[in-house]
Amino acid sequence: MRHGQSAGNVARDEAEAAAGLSIDIAERDVDVPLSELGVRQSQALANWFAAMPAGSQPNVVLHSPYVRAAETANILMQRMDRDELLAVHADERLREKEFGILDRLTTHGIAHKYPELYEQRRHVGKFYFRPPGGESWCDVILRLRGVLETITREYPRERVLIVGHQVIVNCFRYLLERLDEATILAYDRAGDVPNCSVTSYSFDPTLGKRGKLAPRLVNFVAPLEATGTPVTAGKDVPAGAKA
């Protein structure tokens, strides 16, 4: 799942609406907290998890160390059965994609300050484009392969909840659904991953020769809608335009 709306999401929306060059936020990206609405979104989802039958709630929670993701995970765990939780860990491999020198720039700002990089990104595409000092989607996917190996080794047959970021959700989809570049980027262009949305998988023994994980929910926001909590889908702070 993606974290709740953050103060960075709000600041970015304001900067983009004003056609600004940069996003006005003081904290490091890692320290950006949830917005007031982000807290409400997390609470709505926490209530949904709490209403699950016994044995269906997550019993392993892995989350990005970024404050907005850690705060979301903590709010969810307040409503979970602590006796059933086997493990709760912050994992730096679940951190937001690193944007390097493009950090805190709006799409307009990138085009204005680094026109050559802007054009290179348009030509190469976000899947392979790596800004100086930053990461491509392929770089993120590489570290997430390690996360899946850890889950397979340490938490087999457990109910694992991962709290991360928009690119993390999309890159896990790429891995778990065995997608290609064109397909995952088409999903990305179709819309941003909503804050506090859930994408879930369970093992289906009828698929393939020995069974495999199958998607059950994709960008699921019904718990927010059911409580009248506004659904938001803003980009994370340093992201550039979709392409």
Side-chain angles (χ1 to χ4, degrees), residues 97-113:
K97 174 182 177 290
E98 296 180 355
F99 294 87
I101 64 172
L102 304 185
D103 186 27
R104 297 173 187 270
L105 293 178
T106 64
T107 304
H108 184 59
I110 295 170
H112 177 80
K113 190 171 183 179

Side-chain angles (χ1 to χ4, degrees), residues 128-145:
Y128 291 107
F129 174 69
R130 180 190 294 134
E135 294 178 298
S136 68
W137 277 37
C138 288
D139 295 322
V140 176
I141 288 166
L142 180 60
R143 51 178 159 97
L144 294 186
R145 290 187 187 278

Side-chain angles (χ1 to χ4, degrees), residues 9-219:
N9 298 146
V10 175
R12 181 183 179 87
D13 289 345
E14 292 174 348
E16 292 283 9
L21 300 182
S22 61
I23 298 157
D24 184 17
I25 192 163
E27 299 94 344
R28 298 181 304 164
D29 190 29
V30 66
D31 296 323
V32 172
L34 291 176
S35 67
E36 181 180 345
L37 175 56
V39 172
R40 290 170 52 201
Q41 292 170 335
S42 301
Q43 291 169 338
L45 190 59
N47 292 335
W48 179 72
F49 277 118
M52 285 182 171
S56 296
Q57 289 185 9
N59 62 352
V60 173
V61 179
L62 307 177
H63 63 83
S64 162
Y66 282 38
V67 169
R68 55 190 179 271
E71 288 181 339
T72 301
N74 287 334
I75 291 171
L76 298 181
M77 287 186 294
Q78 289 172 10
R79 297 300 313 278
M80 293 182 186
D81 186 345
R82 292 301 184 110
D83 292 335
E84 290 294 319
L85 285 174
L86 299 178
V88 177
H89 295 300
D91 191 320
E92 77 287 344
R93 296 172 296 181
L94 298 174
R95 70 189 183 275
E96 174 62 286
K97 174 182 177 290
E98 296 180 355
F99 294 87
I101 64 172
L102 304 185
D103 186 27
R104 297 173 187 270
L105 293 178
T106 64
T107 304
H108 184 59
I110 295 170
H112 177 80
K113 190 171 183 179
Y114 300 109
E116 292 183 358
L117 285 178
Y118 182 81
E119 289 304 319
Q120 182 186 13
R121 182 183 180 281
R122 286 170 56 88
H123 175 68
V124 174
K126 67 166 61 177
F127 194 79
Y128 291 107
F129 174 69
R130 180 190 294 134
E135 294 178 298
S136 68
W137 277 37
C138 288
D139 295 322
V140 176
I141 288 166
L142 180 60
R143 51 178 159 97
L144 294 186
R145 290 187 187 278
V147 174
L148 290 179
E149 290 175 1
T150 298
I151 292 172
T152 301
R153 181 180 66 251
E154 298 185 13
Y155 309 116
R157 300 185 182 275
E158 306 300 346
R159 302 179 300 278
V160 181
L161 171 65
I162 295 172
V163 184
H165 308 266
Q166 174 163 241
V167 174
I168 296 298
V169 173
N170 282 330
C171 288
F172 267 126
R173 290 195 66 186
Y174 172 86
L175 289 169
L176 296 175
E177 298 174 38
R178 298 171 173 83
L179 304 178
D180 56 20
E181 176 194 4
T183 303
I184 191 56
L185 291 185
Y187 288 154
D188 181 64
R189 284 193 298 272
D192 293 309
V193 176
N195 295 109
C196 275
S197 63
V198 175
T199 297
S200 68
Y201 299 82
S202 63
F203 182 74
D204 187 336
T206 68
L207 297 178
K209 293 184 178 180
R210 297 185 177 180
K212 61 182 180 180
L213 289 175
R216 302 305 184 194
L217 301 172
V218 176
N219 294 338

